[in-house]
Amino acid sequence: AAMIDLGCSTPLYVDPEYAEANDLFGGMRRGSSASLGVEGVAISQLGRLESLRVGDVVLHDVPFAVPPVWRFAAPMIMGLPLLMRFRCRLAFGRARMQLVRASRSNRPFVRDASGLSVLHAGDHLQVIHVAKDSPAAKAGLHEGDSIVAINDEQVGPGNVQNHRNLGKRPPGTRYALSMVAKDDVELVLEDYY
């Protein structure tokens, strides 16, 4: 059983109890990511499923997140990146939904390759989380750091979209980060979980 959230940018969210009971992290390296909500900053554990069966379709290397608190009836939430691999047929009168494999269902999932969670704060990015053993940690970034430029492009309200998903670029992508009260930092993306 799973819920659907078309506004969710994570392919699959999983109940912490379900993840533990089914040993979803079973020996794999984990990542982590921060999200900001009305309750403050929440750190989710990140992993990837070798395969996931949705009906007759098997998807591979599916990223998932396990938040610290779960308040939903279903043990999983399927987000838009997972749902985009299907065409959806709805029969409202019969309360049914059918997911049919879309032609692009085999393309790889995008997942964070930085370990860096930031909050846009006007003229800078505020680091709110750095995942253990991630490229961001290796680069020497820490919670509370302020990034004022990326590859010599000033951070500001006009280019928020350019900076929001830094870690979603391919491994090997390099960023020169200009910091406040700290030497510049080079961040090189890599698959770390």
Side-chain angles (χ1 to χ4, degrees):
M3 294 173 59
I4 291 176
D5 183 348
L6 297 177
C8 180
S9 62
T10 299
L12 193 65
Y13 267 106
V14 180
D15 176 349
E17 289 181 14
Y18 183 89
E20 185 176 333
N22 291 281
D23 196 25
L24 289 189
F25 286 110
M28 75 172 65
R29 294 186 321 182
R30 298 180 191 198
S32 59
S33 176
S35 59
L36 185 63
V38 296
E39 297 167 341
V41 176
I43 307 297
S44 294
Q45 298 299 305
L46 306 176
R48 61 185 173 87
L49 298 173
E50 193 172 298
S51 64
L52 173 69
R53 178 178 294 280
V54 179
D56 295 336
V57 177
V58 177
L59 302 170
H60 298 281
D61 289 325
V62 179
F64 68 93
V66 179
V69 177
W70 193 261
R71 295 185 177 102
F72 306 99
M76 288 180 244
I77 296 174
M78 296 188 329
L80 191 58
L82 190 141
L83 293 168
M84 288 174 54
R85 282 144 169 74
F86 296 92
R87 288 179 303 148
C88 182
R89 296 181 184 153
L90 300 173
F92 290 110
R94 296 187 337 197
R96 294 207 177 261
M97 177 178 74
Q98 180 184 22
L99 296 175
V100 179
R101 179 192 295 264
S103 59
R104 301 181 326 187
S105 65
N106 291 330
R107 72 181 189 280
F109 283 93
V110 175
R111 65 178 200 254
D112 176 67
S114 69
L116 180 65
S117 298
V118 297
L119 178 65
H120 195 268
D123 64 348
H124 68 279
L125 298 175
Q126 186 74 38
V127 176
I128 61 172
H129 176 71
V130 175
K132 181 180 176 187
D133 299 326
S134 69
K138 291 175 184 175
L141 291 163
H142 299 282
E143 185 178 317
D145 284 348
S146 294
I147 302 168
V148 293
I150 301 169
N151 294 339
D152 294 325
E153 181 183 336
Q154 291 299 122
V155 172
N159 55 17
V160 173
Q161 280 304 110
N162 296 344
H163 303 140
R164 184 168 290 164
N165 294 312
L166 292 176
K168 302 281 172 118
R169 304 263 182 342
T173 301
R174 294 177 179 276
Y175 294 108
L177 306 179
S178 298
M179 313 296 293
V180 171
K182 187 173 178 174
D183 289 340
D184 288 358
V185 171
E186 182 180 51
L187 174 63
V188 181
L189 303 184
E190 66 179 70
D191 287 329
Y192 75 99
Y193 72 93

